[in-house]
Amino acid sequence: MAPIINLSMVQNQFQYIIIGAGCAGLQLAKALLEQSSDLVSSILLIDAEKAHQEKSWCFWHDNDHPYRHLVRNEWSHVEFVAESLKVSEDIHPQTYQYINSLDFHQYHLNLFEKDDRIKIVYQHVNEIIPNNKINKIITANDIYFGEYIFHTNLVNNLKSDSYPKVWQHFLGWEIEVDYPSFDINNATIMDFSLNDSKDIQFFYILPFSKTRALVECTFFSKQLIVEADYEILITKYLSAKLSCSFTIKAKEVGKIPMHIVDLPHWQSDTIIPIGTAAGCIKPSTGYSFSRIIQHTEEIINAVKLKKKIPLRRSKPRFLFYDKLFLHIIDYESFTMNNIFFYLFKNNKIITILKFLDEKTTLLEECIIFLGLPKMPFLKAILKSK
Ligand SMILES: Cc1cc2nc3c(=O)[nH]c(=O)nc-3n(C[C@H](O)[C@H](O)[C@H](O)COP(=O)(O)OP(=O)(O)OC[C@H]3O[C@@H](n4cnc5c(N)ncnc54)[C@H](O)[C@@H]3O)c2cc1C
């Protein structure tokens, strides 16, 4: 008797399933498709939403990365401003780079159209069921089977009770002015000069031209605020900084989790977190783009060598520093302005960026910490035990 073949199972079976066509899922799908068909035969990319919400993605990097051609703007200098301090430094050989997430999204969709190894579906994933032979995914409309499942930023992962938990939240206006007012070489990553609250609140400026810039009001805090409150602060900031009127061309609102990510309990060698779920968002800064590039490379190296796919891992001492920073943001936020002040007063910006990239030596880290206020860190160390 001929064997009974379940046709829907065969049609819905893939070598790789990627859940989440966001920053990490798209990077991974592209990198997998760059491999030969012997290594990568089929991919299913699933996302709950077809529409993509536009975001401004920035990161510091040299020219050597896979998305160099998508960089719309870049700045040679990075600036930090506080009430009595202003530092701006050339970060050569890196620049501070800006990619618009719509360009990024569309670029990947165009690439995928040309490769019949990948299928994209727009369905909400409800459940991932691990299985030694083949993993199963249940969506609102269908069931899919995958040898390897990669997943990111699913709502369930963010329900973690991991401690401490803080948000980076912000609202920005892209504005245009009549009179040349912005320095096109300088991206201001933090401007604390108008912070009169106890919260960690600063402004962020990306000048796209002498007359056009994105100006964001950013907080690191447990509590979110309503849009009108950010708008009051931006208006106050702009009236102090600009000597001319402005018009608002676009608006960006967002929140990014700043926490140490717990791996989900249903983790396995063939169900692998990427992006947000893998801890690619640096807990103390909210930046993720470069870390996602790195993790994607690590995954692809393992696929090529047919080795176990690695989870993204920070070195333990960098995780510890992140925990301390989060603890201080959570419990002693009023000291953070002072911490940032001394961080930028006592160190070159290029060293700070290297530290945030987790590429400094222990000696460099000791020098950084010796230049910071000690009490908040001592308290955080005692509490974290
Ligand atoms: C306005 C804004 C500005 C930002 N700016 C920067 C920046 O300058 N630099 C930087 O490094 N980072 C920035 N970030 C953070 C960055 O966007 C994220 O860290 C990054 O997108 C995380 O990538 P990801 O793939 O894990 O998640 P996402 O890019 O969020 O993608 C997750 C995808 O999964 C889908 N999904 C979720 N649940 C399900 C489900 N159950 N079933 C199916 N699909 C699902 C979602 O629809 C989404 O498309 C910004 C974020 C925002 C909101």
Side-chain angles (χ1 to χ4, degrees):
M1 203 169 84
I4 301 168
I5 296 173
N6 182 337
L7 229 134
S8 74
M9 184 168 167
V10 174
Q11 279 168 354
N12 284 359
Q13 188 168 323
F14 297 84
Q15 187 184 12
Y16 296 100
I17 297 184
I18 301 173
I19 310 171
C23 187
L26 292 172
Q27 290 199 28
L28 180 61
K30 167 183 177 280
L32 283 171
L33 290 173
E34 279 160 4
Q35 309 312 309
S36 69
S37 350
D38 298 343
L39 268 185
V40 177
S41 55
S42 61
I43 303 173
L44 174 70
L45 179 61
I46 312 182
D47 201 291
E49 306 285 336
K50 192 166 187 178
H52 173 79
Q53 192 215 328
E54 183 177 4
K55 300 178 198 84
S56 312
W57 280 332
C58 284
F59 54 96
W60 52 93
H61 214 289
D62 57 21
N63 288 334
D64 184 18
H65 64 82
Y67 296 101
R68 181 65 212 158
H69 60 291
L70 292 182
V71 172
R72 269 200 200 180
N73 288 79
E74 65 188 311
W75 298 268
S76 56
H77 287 64
V78 161
E79 184 174 78
F80 172 87
V81 187
E83 214 177 335
S84 55
L85 179 72
K86 186 170 181 166
V87 273
S88 164
E89 256 179 47
D90 189 340
I91 58 165
H92 181 81
Q94 307 187 77
T95 52
Y96 195 70
Q97 305 182 9
Y98 163 85
I99 284 179
N100 183 293
S101 71
L102 276 180
D103 295 346
F104 179 88
H105 194 75
Q106 197 52 52
Y107 164 73
H108 286 90
L109 294 189
N110 293 346
L111 271 185
F112 301 161
E113 256 181 29
K114 296 175 199 140
D115 198 321
D116 54 15
R117 287 177 293 164
I118 186 164
K119 176 175 175 178
I120 309 179
V121 295
Y122 296 99
Q123 295 172 11
H124 187 275
V125 171
N126 292 330
E127 208 178 339
I128 303 177
I129 303 172
N131 187 296
N132 286 341
K133 286 197 182 120
I134 190 130
N135 301 299
K136 190 160 143 185
I137 282 179
I138 302 181
T139 72
N141 318 59
D142 233 321
I143 295 177
Y144 297 98
F145 301 88
E147 276 173 55
Y148 290 91
I149 314 274
F150 293 97
H151 61 91
T152 178
N153 205 7
L154 305 186
V155 178
N156 290 346
N157 289 329
L158 295 181
K159 282 194 187 147
S160 140
D161 290 329
S162 69
Y163 166 87
K165 179 143 181 191
V166 178
W167 292 101
Q168 177 181 147
H169 54 102
F170 46 89
L171 182 143
W173 284 341
E174 190 172 329
I175 57 163
E176 198 160 78
V177 290
D178 301 330
Y179 186 79
S181 307
F182 303 111
D183 176 357
I184 50 164
N185 296 316
N186 246 327
T188 305
I189 52 168
M190 285 180 150
D191 181 347
F192 283 97
S193 60
L194 269 193
N195 181 11
D196 47 14
S197 80
K198 282 196 180 135
D199 287 317
I200 305 159
Q201 183 263 308
F202 56 89
F203 294 90
Y204 174 77
I205 307 170
L206 297 180
F208 298 131
S209 74
K210 285 183 179 169
T211 54
R212 200 172 178 119
L214 175 67
V215 180
E216 290 195 345
C217 170
T218 304
F219 283 80
F220 293 173
S221 68
K222 279 200 272 193
Q223 307 296 336
L224 302 174
I225 60 170
V226 295
E227 289 193 11
D229 288 344
Y230 300 100
E231 289 176 343
I232 292 170
L233 291 167
I234 303 183
T235 308
K236 195 171 154 197
Y237 179 74
L238 289 174
S239 58
K241 293 277 162 183
L242 293 175
S243 47
C244 52
S245 59
F246 61 88
T247 41
I248 302 168
K249 297 293 177 188
K251 185 161 102 174
E252 172 171 89
V253 197
K255 66 180 203 296
I256 304 174
M258 299 172 76
H259 71 151
I260 311 284
V261 168
D262 290 335
L263 295 178
H265 60 86
W266 35 265
Q267 198 53 53
S268 82
D269 285 356
T270 53
I271 304 183
I272 299 128
I274 54 171
T276 309
C280 284
I281 301 181
K282 172 90 174 155
S284 53
T285 65
Y287 284 95
S288 67
F289 198 86
S290 301
R291 285 159 71 98
I292 293 175
I293 291 178
Q294 264 173 38
H295 190 213
T296 307
E297 271 172 25
E298 287 160 16
I299 294 173
I300 294 302
N301 288 338
V303 168
K304 280 186 192 159
L305 298 171
K306 302 203 166 122
K307 279 170 63 176
K308 186 176 160 198
I309 295 181
L311 299 173
R312 197 200 172 277
R313 280 274 157 264
S314 283
K315 287 189 194 125
R317 68 176 199 277
F318 287 102
L319 265 180
F320 177 65
Y321 304 151
D322 277 333
K323 266 191 192 158
L324 296 184
F325 273 106
L326 285 182
H327 184 96
I328 299 171
I329 292 171
D330 199 357
Y331 282 98
E332 306 218 18
S333 60
F334 55 93
T335 62
M336 272 316 279
N337 291 358
N338 223 8
I339 290 173
F340 284 122
F341 175 87
Y342 284 105
L343 181 67
F344 282 89
K345 181 169 187 285
N346 294 336
N347 300 283
K348 289 190 80 63
I349 293 181
I350 197 97
T351 312
I352 299 170
L353 300 182
K354 189 174 165 194
F355 172 61
L356 298 177
D357 280 338
E358 308 185 352
K359 289 180 180 158
T360 35
T361 61
L362 193 55
L363 179 64
E364 286 171 315
E365 290 143 34
C366 289
I367 295 169
I368 290 174
F369 279 103
L370 282 173
L372 299 179
K374 312 282 174 307
M375 267 328 261
F377 286 95
L378 289 175
K379 283 191 200 166
I381 290 171
L382 290 176
K383 280 233 174 171
S384 68
K385 289 208 163 169

